[in-house]
Amino acid sequence: MSKVPQRFEILLVPEHVEDRGGASVEDSAVRSAVVEATGRQGSSGYPRYEGHGLTAEIDPETRTVEALLVDGRELDYGLTALIRHAPGS
């Protein structure tokens, strides 16, 4: 069994942008946060991560966000969550 990462950075980015003006996806994020493993499983069955107002259930193998709350609410339409390994992890 593979080791579950202890933290990820979640980037909330617009799903559709006409022109990023050369900006990277990371630079286009409207919000980002580092979330840390809580040691609990979420209702989706994947590990739960929390931090800076975000609660996420992430499949560590595929690096897919399976569930996400932003400040206790579902993600707004038009935004998508991307993850990457957090700096220093």
Side-chain angles (χ1 to χ4, degrees):
M1 184 173 174
S2 63
K3 183 181 176 198
V4 175
Q6 293 302 298
R7 72 175 52 98
F8 284 106
E9 181 177 16
I10 296 179
L11 305 167
L12 302 181
V13 297
E15 288 182 354
H16 177 71
V17 175
E18 290 292 329
D19 179 16
R20 293 188 195 274
S24 67
V25 171
E26 291 83 2
D27 290 336
S28 299
V30 296
R31 183 169 175 178
S32 66
V34 173
V35 293
E36 298 198 21
T38 64
R40 299 187 315 263
Q41 297 290 95
S43 58
S44 66
Y46 293 103
R48 179 171 282 187
Y49 294 80
E50 295 179 353
H52 305 280
L54 301 183
T55 301
E57 296 172 20
I58 299 172
D59 178 345
E61 277 189 41
T62 64
R63 297 174 52 145
T64 302
V65 178
E66 297 293 339
L68 177 68
L69 294 176
V70 179
D71 299 326
R73 297 183 176 164
E74 291 184 12
L75 187 62
D76 289 337
Y77 288 110
L79 293 176
T80 190
L82 304 175
I83 62 170
R84 64 181 176 175
H85 284 287
S89 62

